[in-house]
Amino acid sequence: MDRPSRRNVLLTGGALGALGALGVASPAQASPLWTWSPKGSVAGAGEGADPRWVWDPEADALVASLLDRGDVPKVNELLRTWTRNGQPLPDGLPADLRDFMERARRLPAWADPGKLATAFEFNEKRGLYLGVTYGFASGMMSTAIPKEARAVYYSKGGADMRDRITKTAKLGYDIGTEKAFEPDGEMIVTCVKTRLVHAAVRHLLPKSPYWTKAADEKIPISQADMMVTWHSLPTTVMQNLVRWKVPIPAAESEAFLLSWQLAGHMLGIRDEYIPKSWDEANSQAEQVLTPVLAPTPEGVKLADILLNLGSTIDGGLLTKPILGSLTRFMLGDEIAGWLKIPRDPLWDPLIQNLWPPFVAVREGFLDLTKAPKELRQLYWAFDEILRQGALLYLSGFKMPISIEIPQTNNPHY
């Protein structure tokens, strides 16, 4: 089993995934009409308001006030010490922030501890698959989501992508740990801090002339945008596992979904937008994720930055082609073309041809015990490439990871 560890924070990390980040000219994209019914949500009902015009009003007003009155440096310093879900909030926080965070850290009534324990079992058994899909399906997909790409590129995170990935990787790592949502875990802390970061970006980005010139919206990170990112993670991961015919017991599938439903809730997504089942998730993703995928100049640049992060290991001679081929395999030729990822005559066919039997071997459908030694060595090497490939992204990253409220946009833009 592939047990999560601090060393594979990148593998398990929404790593690239939650980063949501993106030359070519982006074709005009007509935003799809919102027709998904809240009856399909974990709430089972709701106003049915178009999430493109809904943000996070309580958090947004609070963080805007913190920024305007100069409290953010002090808040960031204090919150560096708040690392565990059950830990009391630090003394000295502004009263309005403390009140908000005490409410924001509470799990909803529909959280199920038994299912969350099963979710950890699933993460243990499927760690390798999750790492590959989080990194090279979810993460690289984010560079082909125009609103996400622009938001990351022009916000403070775009100035240091290595630091940005480290912090977003923490979300994917924390959700895969044994006590993710329990007092000893860190997932609630990570979600609440990320929610504050999103609110800051909503306040700051509209002040960026570079973002306002490129964006087709007045305020970034709407509820719709957050659901697009959400679908690029669990929905995309599960779709790939199904496509690869990985056998997943129904209880584990349901538990994995619950862990991400809770993550969405703790990040400030309204329950009426969070799908209650995989069928509903796939239905919503068809409406909000698939139609918005497109190339942008920002996305192309970010994708290239991500693929080059392994250059500290080997100058990019080997790592960039491998990571590019993994991305092409996960996302397909069209998106790889959008991101200007070159074809590689060695790694493209190798990964394409090895993956199906590789999964079959790992799942016990194929027996390699009597296979030639050379073939066994090949599959061992392939396994190691997948295990270590994503780790290259975090080479040199420093622990502990501190998620902090930004005070500026990208200083380079």
Side-chain angles (χ1 to χ4, degrees):
M1 290 190 291
D2 305 305
R3 188 181 183 88
S5 68
R6 280 288 175 185
R7 274 187 54 76
N8 66 18
V9 59
L10 148 355
L11 270 178
T12 48
L16 306 165
L19 66 86
L22 303 147
V24 296
S26 174
Q29 290 280 307
S31 297
L33 294 175
W34 177 255
T35 60
W36 192 77
S37 171
K39 292 180 180 179
S41 70
V42 294
E47 299 173 3
D50 190 327
R52 290 176 298 173
W53 312 112
V54 182
W55 290 269
D56 192 354
E58 184 180 10
D60 294 347
L62 169 64
V63 176
S65 176
L66 293 176
L67 286 163
D68 292 344
R69 65 195 195 220
D71 282 347
V72 170
K74 174 185 175 182
V75 166
N76 280 336
E77 182 179 358
L78 290 171
L79 288 182
R80 287 180 198 130
T81 66
W82 186 54
T83 60
R84 298 286 176 181
N85 300 334
Q87 185 180 343
L89 292 174
D91 293 334
L93 288 176
D96 52 356
L97 175 61
R98 174 179 292 277
D99 291 345
F100 170 79
M101 292 180 69
E102 289 291 7
R103 294 192 303 274
R105 70 192 294 189
R106 296 174 191 154
L107 288 173
W110 44 269
D112 185 326
K115 288 184 178 180
L116 290 176
T118 301
F120 172 67
E121 295 175 8
F122 173 77
N123 280 286
E124 272 196 312
K125 291 192 291 186
R126 305 302 182 194
L128 177 63
Y129 301 143
L130 294 177
V132 171
T133 48
Y134 280 148
F136 300 100
S138 305
M140 292 302 293
M141 178 185 288
S142 70
T143 66
I145 299 173
K147 290 184 178 180
E148 261 189 274
R150 297 185 189 108
V152 167
Y153 192 78
Y154 295 112
S155 66
K156 185 179 179 181
D160 187 346
M161 286 303 295
R162 187 179 293 275
D163 179 70
R164 170 70 175 178
I165 292 171
T166 306
K167 292 174 179 176
T168 54
K170 182 170 170 53
L171 185 82
Y173 169 77
D174 289 343
I175 200 172
T177 57
E178 186 172 7
K179 298 181 179 180
F181 294 93
E182 295 181 23
D184 289 342
E186 299 185 16
M187 186 60 180
I188 294 174
V189 172
T190 296
C191 286
V192 173
K193 288 184 178 181
T194 301
R195 187 176 176 184
L196 295 174
V197 170
H198 286 168
V201 171
R202 291 189 196 98
H203 183 67
L204 294 168
L205 262 187
K207 299 177 181 181
S208 164
Y210 300 96
W211 180 80
T212 54
K213 182 178 179 180
D216 57 0
E217 57 189 338
K218 298 295 184 183
I219 305 172
I221 318 181
S222 68
Q223 292 276 314
D225 296 332
M226 288 193 285
M227 283 312 305
V228 168
T229 298
W230 190 91
H231 285 297
S232 74
L233 288 156
T235 307
T236 298
V237 165
M238 187 55 67
Q239 287 173 345
N240 275 287
L241 295 180
V242 170
R243 178 165 62 92
W244 301 335
K245 299 179 180 179
V246 176
I248 303 172
E252 291 184 6
S253 176
E254 186 177 335
F256 178 66
L257 176 60
L258 174 66
S259 68
W260 277 102
Q261 289 167 332
L262 283 175
H265 174 93
M266 303 306 292
L267 286 165
I269 299 174
R270 292 188 180 184
D271 286 359
E272 69 172 277
Y273 299 131
I274 302 173
K276 68 179 180 182
S277 67
W278 287 118
D279 286 344
E280 291 290 353
N282 290 328
S283 171
Q284 191 187 94
E286 277 297 310
Q287 181 178 147
V288 303
L289 174 61
T290 306
V292 305
L293 296 175
T296 62
E298 295 85 358
V300 171
K301 293 172 185 175
L302 285 177
D304 188 62
I305 291 171
L306 297 181
L307 294 178
N308 275 296
L309 286 180
S311 63
T312 55
I313 305 298
D314 64 356
L317 294 176
L318 180 61
T319 55
K320 185 174 183 180
I322 293 174
L323 301 181
S325 293
L326 280 168
T327 300
R328 180 176 294 277
F329 174 73
M330 295 293 166
L331 298 182
D333 289 336
E334 182 177 39
I335 294 179
W338 288 349
L339 300 177
K340 295 192 174 181
I341 297 174
R343 293 182 179 276
D344 187 273
L346 171 63
W347 290 105
D348 284 0
L350 184 63
I351 291 174
Q352 183 75 34
N353 294 327
L354 275 182
W355 186 261
F358 171 75
V359 172
V361 168
R362 286 184 62 86
E363 296 305 319
F365 301 140
L366 289 181
D367 183 4
L368 278 186
T369 58
K370 298 181 180 180
K373 178 181 178 181
E374 292 76 15
L375 184 59
R376 295 199 305 272
Q377 290 177 333
L378 177 62
Y379 273 92
W380 176 85
F382 188 58
D383 198 358
E384 285 304 298
I385 287 168
L386 294 173
R387 288 178 185 277
Q388 299 299 326
L391 288 173
L392 297 174
Y393 280 107
L394 287 184
S395 176
F397 286 8
K398 293 180 173 60
M399 301 291 184
I401 298 168
S402 179
I403 298 173
E404 302 189 354
I405 302 171
Q407 301 176 73
T408 63
N409 292 313
N410 188 333
H412 304 310
Y413 291 96

